[in-house]
Every structure is written in C-alpha cells, then in structure tokens.
Amino acid sequence: MLLRFWWAFLAYFYPHDKVDEDIEYQRAVRLSISFCIIAPIFLYLNAIKWFRFQAYHIGIVGIVLATVLVLLAFMLKFDLLPIKFISNFIILSLFLDFYYLTFFSGGVESPQIFWIILIPLFAHLLLPGRSGHVWFALVLTGIGTLFFLDKIGYPFPTVALMTENDQFIQWTMAIFGVLTASYIAATLFKAGIFSSVVEMEASKEHAENISNNLNSVLKKVKESSSALNSSSSELLQTSKKLEEDTSMYFDKTSGIFDSSQTIRRRMDTVAAEIKLATDRMEEIAKTAAQARTIAEEGNQIAKDTSESM
C-alpha cells in the first residue's frame, strides 16, 4: 500500500511523453526520481546538524547538492536531459557530498566514510551495464586515497566543537543511516523489479491479445482468400467459356465476311457486265441513229430524183 502511494507520488515527476518507453527506461526513471526526492531529505537534515557544530562549509555543500538533486527531479519531469546523464549526476552529487563530508570530518577515522561505501550500490541501482563498475573503481580509488593520506600522516580536518558524546552519536547515526539507506535502496530495487515484472506481464498479455486479434484477422483473410480463389476459378471458367464463344462467333463472322466478299465480287462482275451491255446498247443506239439518218437522206435523194424526172 505504501509503495503504491509512493509510485503515485512519483508519477507527478514522471515524463508523461515517455510512457511508452521500454521497461528498463521506466525503472531507471522511477529509481532516479526516488533518489532525487529521498536523498535531499537526508542531506537537508544532515546540514542542520553540521550548522549546529558550526561546520558551515559542510552544511552548505550538503544544501547545494540537495537542491541540485531536487532540480534534477524537475528536469526529469520535463525531459530536459537524458536519463543516463541525470543518473550519473545523481551519483556524482552523492559521491562529492559523502567524500567532502568524510574528508573534513576526520578522514578515515570519520564515521561518514560508510556513506561512500554505498555509492557503488546506488550506481548499480541507477545505471546499466559497465557504469556501476566504473563508479566502483572511482570509489575504491577515493577511499584508497584517504588511507594513503592517513598513512603518510596527513592531518585531516576535524570538527572542533564535537564532544566525545557527539562523536558516539555520529558513529551511531552513520551506522544506522547506512543500514537504513541500504534497506531503502534494496526496497526500491525490489519494487522496481516487481513493477517491471508486472509491466512485462501486462505487455505480454497485451501482445497476446494483439496476436490473437491478428490470428483472427488472418483467419478471416484466409477465408476471404479461399472465397476469392473460388470466385476466381468460377471467373476463369466463365472467361474460358466466353473465349470459346467469342472464337466461335469469330469463325462465324469470318465465314459471313468471306461470303459477303464473294457476293461483292459477284456483284462487281454483274455490274461490269451490265455496264458492258449498256455500252453495247449505246453503240447499237448510235448505229441505229446513223442508219436512220442515212435512210432519211436516201429517201430525200430518191424523192428529189423522182421529182426531177
């Protein structure tokens, strides 16, 4: 119930235009937002403690880095920077605060050194792949540097106003603080994995629904394809029959065309014969007209001859 309330609270800072991103991205965003909200609470309370001991520079560094973490939460909300850059900056801020705190409160003899040990754990929670190994190497180098300085007798700064009772409280708070932070980190990690599993199951169910819908659509397509193939076969048979009928009609049309050509040739022959006969009749008519003219002339001559006698 508490985790559900926590995730609902984190939803305010979640970049809503990224809700469809992969599950690993969502896990990284949720854990980063959690660090940006939880860590400043510890840093602000810790700053008040250091102001009480007049170690103002330690308190100011804590306040500045805590404020930076709060700003990073809003940068995540508005998607102003890549999630990998923000996650690395969160780890860097915590590392600088813990290292600065350890260095100026006694070095290797300071109880604050336990906080530095948490950095690789936080890095592995927030960052994928080799980034956690890189931060482990950096932390190892930083702690090794502190022990080296202590070995050569470097005088680490201390908080002068701390009594023996205050130092006991510091050790107690450091141990329980680290234990609490480890528990919170493990809880967030487990919750992130659980949330990822739930989202994976939801995604899997969604994918199965899509697959079932797709299979249903494919089944309908297959049925439609079978009906289409059947209709295509019928259409092919009809097309073949139409082709045969067309061929038959073409043959008949060709026969009619040949017959019409024969009739036409015969008609041309008859027309030629009629024209020839007409020409002959015209010649006969001309010959008859000439004979009549000659006969009329002969009659006229015979008439003229009989009158002269």
Side-chain angles (χ1 to χ4, degrees):
M1 183 67 182
L2 184 60
L3 282 176
R4 289 184 180 179
F5 174 78
W6 177 250
W7 293 134
F9 173 72
L10 293 185
Y12 172 78
F13 295 94
Y14 196 85
H16 295 289
D17 58 336
K18 298 285 187 177
V19 294
D20 295 329
E21 294 286 344
D22 58 88
I23 294 175
E24 180 62 28
Y25 175 86
Q26 296 180 17
R27 186 189 68 83
V29 169
R30 288 175 178 174
L31 290 176
S32 297
I33 295 174
S34 299
F35 272 88
C36 288
I37 294 176
I38 295 176
I41 296 175
F42 285 89
L43 293 177
Y44 285 132
L45 293 176
N46 210 31
I48 295 175
K49 176 190 70 175
W50 293 112
F51 283 142
R52 175 174 169 267
F53 294 126
Q54 296 183 8
Y56 299 113
H57 58 101
I58 298 177
I60 290 173
V61 169
I63 290 176
V64 170
L65 294 178
T67 305
V68 169
L69 292 177
V70 173
L71 293 176
L72 287 177
F74 286 96
M75 289 183 181
L76 270 173
K77 174 179 175 60
F78 297 106
D79 194 26
L80 298 178
L81 293 171
I83 180 62
K84 190 173 182 180
F85 176 85
I86 290 179
S87 299
N88 275 288
F89 204 88
I90 291 172
I91 301 300
L92 177 63
S93 300
L94 295 176
F95 176 74
L96 291 177
D97 181 73
F98 296 159
Y99 201 86
Y100 188 89
L101 179 61
T102 302
F103 188 90
F104 285 96
S105 61
V108 295
E109 296 181 359
S110 172
Q112 313 304 327
I113 196 172
F114 291 111
W115 289 102
I116 303 178
I117 300 174
L118 288 177
I119 294 298
L121 173 62
F122 295 159
H124 276 287
L125 285 177
L126 290 179
L127 300 169
R130 293 173 294 181
S131 299
H133 306 309
V134 172
W135 277 108
F136 172 76
L138 290 175
V139 169
L140 193 62
T141 303
I143 293 178
T145 302
L146 291 176
F147 277 96
F148 174 76
L149 293 175
D150 182 72
K151 183 69 176 176
I152 63 176
Y154 178 80
F156 288 103
T158 58
V159 180
L161 296 181
M162 273 193 179
T163 64
E164 185 175 342
N165 184 55
D166 290 331
Q167 292 179 355
F168 173 77
I169 293 175
Q170 286 299 307
W171 276 97
T172 304
M173 291 180 62
I175 292 173
F176 281 98
V178 170
L179 181 63
T180 303
S182 300
Y183 174 76
I184 292 175
T187 302
L188 290 175
F189 179 70
K190 182 179 179 181
I193 291 179
F194 177 75
S195 176
S196 299
V197 170
V198 171
E199 290 171 353
M200 286 178 64
E201 291 295 332
S203 300
K204 182 179 179 181
E205 183 179 356
H206 182 62
E208 288 178 352
N209 291 333
I210 293 176
S211 178
N212 292 333
N213 292 334
L214 183 60
N215 288 333
S216 178
V217 171
L218 289 176
K219 184 178 179 180
K220 292 181 180 180
V221 170
K222 186 176 180 181
E223 293 175 353
S224 301
S225 177
S226 299
L228 182 62
N229 288 334
S230 178
S231 300
S232 177
S233 299
E234 294 177 0
L235 182 61
L236 182 61
Q237 292 177 358
T238 304
S239 177
K240 289 182 178 179
K241 185 177 180 181
L242 180 61
E243 184 179 358
E244 292 174 355
D245 293 341
T246 302
S247 179
M248 182 182 66
Y249 292 145
F250 180 76
D251 293 339
K252 290 182 178 180
T253 304
S254 297
I256 294 172
F257 180 75
D258 293 340
S259 299
S260 65
Q261 291 294 323
T262 303
I263 293 172
R264 182 177 177 181
R265 286 195 296 270
R266 291 181 180 178
M267 289 180 68
D268 290 341
T269 303
V270 171
E273 292 178 352
I274 291 174
K275 184 178 180 182
L276 182 59
T278 302
D279 293 340
R280 290 179 178 178
M281 289 180 67
E282 288 179 353
E283 290 178 359
I284 294 172
K286 290 179 179 180
T287 303
Q290 291 177 358
R292 187 172 54 194
T293 301
I294 294 171
E296 288 178 353
E297 290 179 355
N299 290 332
Q300 184 64 36
I301 293 171
K303 183 178 179 181
D304 292 339
T305 302
S306 62
E307 289 179 355
S308 62
M309 291 180 64

